[in-house]
Amino acid sequence: MISLEAHAKINLSLDVLNKRDDGYHNLRMIMQTVQLHDTISIEKIPSGVEIDCVASYVPNNSSNIACKAAEAMISKYNLNAGVRIKIDKRIPVAAGLAGGSADAAAVIKGINTLFNLGISQNELMETGSTIGADVPYCIMGGTALAEGKGEELTSISLLKDVPILIVKPRIGVSTAWVYKNLNLDKIVDRPNTEALISAIQNRDISFIAQNMRNVLESVTVIKHPIIKKIKKNLLEEGAIGSMMSGSGPSVFGIFDDKNKAISAYNKIKKSKNECILTFTI
Ligand code: ATP
């Protein structure tokens, strides 16, 4: 039996460059792992893949992405056994925090360890890319530039211990819907990705907070104006910058001081929205 933490991510920037012939978009995003995590335990069983995941809106059967990851590992490496996976879900679902991808990544890494396969991280990331575009990043973790569909990764120096307050309205957003409704010709406010990378290297938190941009935000905000309200609320409560993560609807605020983040958390948690205080890792 092995137990692993499957960490959520936030986007410090998200740019969509163009649409590809395969239907996906070419992206340019800065990804950041946070302490918030699901806990995954994996044990060997004689055969098959069993799942135990009791959480709203998450399948408790073979369509759970964690099962798909396990099946991919078992068939790719001809493993002569199966696994039982238990997911203790804490990452909000369909929230732009890559919760499913994080679980899949943990299962891939966990099976590598549990079966003593000794497979390199690069090869695990290759397997991950067959499961989902964000899975390779979740295997790698940390602070990274993600390009292509999200699977072409370059590490950036780590931006550790920055207080982050995640606020998620009690709605789910379909990533597919957001991309379908994105008009590439109408994007006006793109991130300056290079400037943000330099700011990360210099740990210039205030530049990062003020220059974070997510081109998907305007699409999701039209359907869910509450996102704009949450952004404003986070700034009023002391965040030095706030932005939607991924395709939403989670919004996060960056703080330059842990105590300010705690006091904002204590106020915002009284709202109807889910509120999580976490830190970058
Ligand atoms: P991303 O940021 O990568 O777009 P997300 O955070 O928006 O991801 P997820 O939480 O990964 O979204 O969930 C997307 C969908 O995947 C949900 O509709 C959910 O039912 C399904 N799903 C399958 N397996 C899982 C899992 N292990 N955890 C969460 N969702 C899962």
Side-chain angles (χ1 to χ4, degrees), residues 42-99:
I42 311 171
E43 63 179 310
K44 277 190 199 176
I45 56 172
S47 65
V49 175
E50 291 178 11
I51 180 87
D52 175 6
C53 176
V54 184
S56 304
Y57 308 111
V58 181
N60 195 15
N61 55 40
S62 61
S63 59
N64 192 301
I65 191 170
C67 296
K68 293 181 184 161
E71 276 151 16
M73 288 296 283
I74 290 168
S75 90
K76 184 165 180 179
Y77 298 106
N78 287 313
L79 304 181
N80 210 3
V83 287
R84 179 178 297 124
I85 302 164
K86 185 171 186 309
I87 304 178
D88 182 1
K89 197 92 200 142
R90 276 191 298 270
I91 304 173
V93 179
L97 301 171

Side-chain angles (χ1 to χ4, degrees), residues 159-225:
L159 188 71
K160 285 188 178 182
D161 303 324
V162 180
I164 302 286
L165 192 55
I166 297 173
V167 182
K168 185 199 161 267
R170 299 199 182 269
I171 44 172
V173 167
S174 145
T175 305
W177 179 89
V178 175
Y179 279 100
K180 217 169 111 193
N181 285 278
L182 174 71
N183 184 340
L184 286 168
D185 299 326
K186 288 207 175 142
I187 297 175
V188 278
D189 202 11
R190 290 184 184 274
N192 183 341
T193 310
E194 267 56 50
L196 283 164
I197 291 172
S198 301
I200 290 167
Q201 282 157 347
N202 298 324
R203 206 182 157 83
D204 185 346
I205 311 288
S206 120
F207 183 94
I208 298 165
Q210 281 155 31
N211 291 278
M212 301 183 296
R213 297 286 183 279
N214 177 350
V215 301
L216 301 180
E217 204 174 90
S218 59
V219 181
T220 312
V221 161
I222 290 170
K223 194 168 180 198
H224 302 294

Side-chain angles (χ1 to χ4, degrees), residues 131-164:
I131 305 297
D134 284 344
V135 180
Y137 165 71
C138 291
I139 291 174
M140 184 172 108
T143 311
L145 173 68
E147 296 174 287
K149 285 190 277 181
E151 82 291 15
E152 292 168 23
L153 297 162
T154 313
S155 313
I156 309 173
S157 48
L158 293 177
L159 188 71
K160 285 188 178 182
D161 303 324
V162 180
I164 302 286

